[in-house]
DNA sequence: ATGAAAGCGCTAACAA
DNA sequence: TTGTTAGCGCTTTCAT
């Protein structure tokens, strides 16, 4: 029925072990023997069984991506990058959606890692910052790479300097003449929210604009939360001339809320976001935003775990550059 | 080091097999014994090794989702649904991006299925329609469920009646007074493109409007292709008063192209799409579109494979309803 | 450079 | 209801 390694051995006229050597690209096989084995493998369409290899002590060539909030555009982009890395390195990718608030997250991840013998995992925010989980992963000895982890030293993964990026964005708004600049914060559990808020404040400071707590409202990274936050801002006695949302989805919600009041973007109010997801180009007016190379971040995180898997101690925390994407949603402060 | 089944057996004062019985929820274990075993499992934090179980002949509890073009919004929605189904049924999900045009797609899938001992796979368009692949999967005996497969009999999976949906959308445009209705086609490899075009023609026919090939232009489901297609339509001597794009991404591109010419949607031209992806609500004006329950489709496809895995011969091809989402991008014919 | 034998950790089949 | 035995298909020793 199923072709096994000794079928191949028989067909090639060698021992099982030799076939195994060829398959695993081990040394000490003559070219002639190697060729014979490869032919037999080809002819019999032999595929070594992952579970048997694994049980006998080899690697799984399997990594998992852990994430909360699967429906975020941002995570989908990261996922594409990780997938890309896995493909290029002949790894398979498993998806593990988790609730970052769940009590049993450590146990869940441990089960997955141990049971499926994962070679490594990729962590995405805010799971990147779960100390208990990281400690456990270290104990078990599974390499992991983080995307935008809050703690930046002694980690392997990828990040961008989001604080500087947010500051630059604010300074851009200032350069357009804006001084009443509002900020819609992201979800509190995410480091990104902290960094972006800090950058917002830094930008104001550099521009010599006083921080006005009234202009900073809560959001949760969703479209709806941007919509609602903007309505609160528009109800202010003196409304802002620019709104800096902590991500693109919220900025899209912001634009919608503004338009619904009969105001125009950027004529009456400028809006900008963060991330540069595809939606930033699709909406009208197209969104000025901070471009974070999410897909590349996913790819690099994937490559770094795999590097760490292959060579213990390898892997680093890589900083990637951001860029400001100036599009149509920001303009000069109204007359 | 690692806790094994006989450690648990020893701790519980029973045999390995009894532990195995408890773990696999097999009958013929006394409540008392079961309790003792569970306690031991708990205390030792025992996790059975998937590879060992698998090698000994059990299921992998692993399914893979096969797809081409990973960056499509639509597929991400489907993925979320599949993921959901897997979680609820204690299955793990692997992701297998493929090139539907690749020569070796059958071999690739076969390797994956055989090597990783996948219990089943979920197919998404256009991989759903690769006869050679389906034949091979049938041979190997791996259950699979398809999302929107072209062939609808003798399949398990999910679909919606896209042709009727497209027809209804055209009739909606007609009811608004439109008679010069254009269509931007989808990618030729997808059944969806055929059905939506057929529905477009059926709608025109029912409304007594002659089919004008000039008004039907090629697209490939991407934003950019919608943008370009629309520019071609706008260059026509007599331009359409409504554009029906075969999906939302292209409709977004269409709106952008229209706005760039200083025209307004829906004042000058109505635009509608298909799928009802999140972007349909985010763009301005919000998009009139056919709601296809992509996430539920993913979920059901996932549940159907799992059903087929558990009980050979089970599983069916389920039709799900569509709805017209009337939003702001369509309106009465100008003047 | 190649091979023989002994597991890896579990479950299936059989026995008791 | 419970236990014993013999693999599952591969890779690891350790020989040769």
């Amino acid at each position: 029925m199923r072709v096994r390694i000794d079928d191949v051995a028989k067909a090639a006229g060698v021992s099982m072990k030799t076939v195994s050597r060829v398959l695993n690209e081990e040394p000490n096989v003559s070219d002639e023997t190697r060729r014979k084995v490869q032919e037999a493998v080809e002819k019999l369409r032999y595929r070594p069984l992952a579970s048997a290899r694994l049980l006998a002590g080899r690697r799984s060539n399997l990594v998992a991506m852990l994430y909360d909030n699967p429906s975020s555009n941002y995570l989908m982009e990261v996922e594409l990058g990780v997938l890309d890395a896995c493909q290029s390195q002949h790894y398979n990718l498993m998806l593990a959606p988790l609730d970052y608030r769940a009590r049993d997250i450590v146990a869940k991840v441990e089960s997955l890692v141990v049971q499926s013998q994962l070679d490594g995992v990729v962590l995405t925010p805010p799971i990147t910052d779960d100390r208990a989980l990281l400690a456990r992963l270290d104990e078990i000895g599974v390499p992991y790479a983080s995307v935008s982890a809050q703690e930046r030293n002694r980690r392997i993964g990828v990040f961008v300097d989001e604080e500087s990026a947010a500051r630059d964005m604010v300074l851009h708004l200032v350069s357009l003449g804006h001084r009443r600049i509002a900020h819609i914060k992201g979800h509190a559990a995410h480091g990104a929210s902290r960094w972006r808020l800090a950058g917002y404040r830094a930008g104001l400071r550099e521009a010599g604009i006083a921080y006005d707590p009234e202009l900073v409202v809560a959001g949760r990274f969703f479209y709806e939360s941007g919509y609602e936050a903007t309505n609160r801002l528009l109800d202010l006695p003196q409304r802002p001339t620019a709104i800096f949302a902590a991500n693109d989805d919220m900025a899209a919600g912001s634009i919608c809320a503004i338009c619904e009041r009969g105001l125009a973007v950027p004529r009456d109010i400028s809006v900008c976001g963060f991330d540069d997801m595809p939606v930033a180009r699709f909406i009208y007016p197209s969104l000025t935003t901070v471009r974070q190379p999410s897909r590349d971040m996913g790819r690099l995180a994937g490559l770094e775990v795999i590097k760490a898997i292959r060579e213990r101690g390898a892997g680093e925390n890589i900083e990637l550059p951001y860029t400001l994407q100036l599009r149509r949603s920001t303009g000069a402060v109204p007359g």
Side-chain angles (χ1 to χ4, degrees), chain A residues 12-318:
Chain A
V14 299
S15 75
M16 261 168 57
K17 179 59 210 180
T18 300
V19 176
S20 174
R21 284 202 180 88
V22 172
L23 282 144
N24 295 300
E25 300 179 326
E26 284 169 32
N28 296 335
V29 183
S30 74
D31 289 356
E32 168 65 6
T33 310
R34 183 180 307 279
R35 199 189 44 70
K36 277 194 305 191
V37 170
Q38 280 163 344
E39 266 173 21
V41 165
E42 204 71 20
K43 207 183 72 192
L44 300 177
R45 299 158 125 251
Y46 168 67
R47 306 277 172 233
L49 202 62
S51 60
R53 291 186 124 172
L54 215 59
L55 185 57
R58 279 186 56 83
R59 298 228 183 87
S60 63
N61 273 38
L62 192 60
V63 305
M65 173 169 158
L66 310 187
Y67 56 136
D68 186 67
N69 181 23
S71 61
S72 122
N73 275 314
Y74 165 72
L75 284 176
M76 306 266 90
E77 284 294 316
V78 173
E79 180 189 309
L80 291 176
V82 176
L83 208 51
D84 209 54
C86 288
Q87 278 218 289
S88 74
Q89 303 300 307
H90 305 288
Y91 266 72
N92 284 321
L93 181 65
M94 254 177 59
L95 252 31
L98 297 163
D99 183 344
Y100 82 98
R101 296 156 311 181
R103 282 251 151 262
D104 62 342
I105 183 170
V106 177
K108 263 199 175 152
V109 173
E110 184 172 356
S111 291
L112 188 69
V113 169
V114 173
Q115 291 201 346
S116 301
Q117 290 168 281
L118 297 183
D119 286 343
V121 297
V122 173
L123 305 174
T124 56
I127 296 176
T128 40
D129 309 310
D130 184 322
R131 307 300 275 255
L133 178 60
L134 300 178
R136 195 84 196 93
L137 289 175
D138 286 334
E139 263 178 63
I140 311 177
V142 202
Y144 54 86
S146 306
V147 174
S148 302
Q150 293 204 38
E151 185 200 321
R152 279 173 184 169
N153 310 320
R154 305 183 338 118
R155 271 259 182 301
I156 90 169
V158 214
F159 68 97
V160 309
D161 183 350
E162 303 189 20
E163 180 169 340
S164 299
R167 183 206 51 204
D168 289 359
M169 182 56 90
V170 168
L171 292 177
H172 168 66
L173 293 171
V174 169
S175 77
L176 291 170
H178 295 278
R179 294 190 67 81
R180 266 191 87 66
I181 301 170
H183 180 60
I184 304 177
K185 292 189 286 185
H187 191 294
H190 291 248
S193 307
R194 279 214 343 253
W195 296 320
R196 295 170 195 186
L197 174 61
Y200 163 79
R201 299 189 67 156
L204 293 183
R205 204 178 311 118
E206 284 188 30
I209 299 172
Y211 173 78
D212 181 351
E214 199 176 63
L215 292 177
V216 175
V217 294
R220 287 172 310 135
F221 280 143
F222 306 136
Y223 177 86
E224 286 75 13
S225 69
Y227 177 87
E228 289 159 13
T230 301
N231 275 323
R232 272 174 276 144
L233 290 170
L234 296 177
D235 287 337
L236 250 32
Q238 194 190 350
R239 63 173 195 238
T241 63
I243 297 177
F244 176 23
N247 79 348
D248 292 345
D249 284 1
M250 293 196 298
S254 191
I255 289 178
C256 179
I258 292 166
C259 291
E260 279 190 5
R261 300 226 180 177
L263 299 169
V265 175
R267 195 196 59 203
D268 302 307
I269 301 187
S270 285
V271 174
C272 59
F274 202 114
D275 286 344
D276 197 26
M277 292 296 100
V279 70
R281 294 182 301 124
F282 294 0
I283 59 178
Y284 188 84
S286 61
L287 192 67
T288 290
T289 188
V290 172
R291 170 158 179 69
Q292 189 182 200
S294 318
R295 196 147 166 178
D296 287 338
M297 293 177 77
R299 191 196 334 275
L300 279 173
L303 293 175
E304 289 301 299
V305 223
I306 293 172
K307 197 185 285 174
I309 290 165
R310 291 187 171 142
E311 185 190 343
R312 288 283 148 174
E316 45 187 329
N317 206 6
I318 301 170

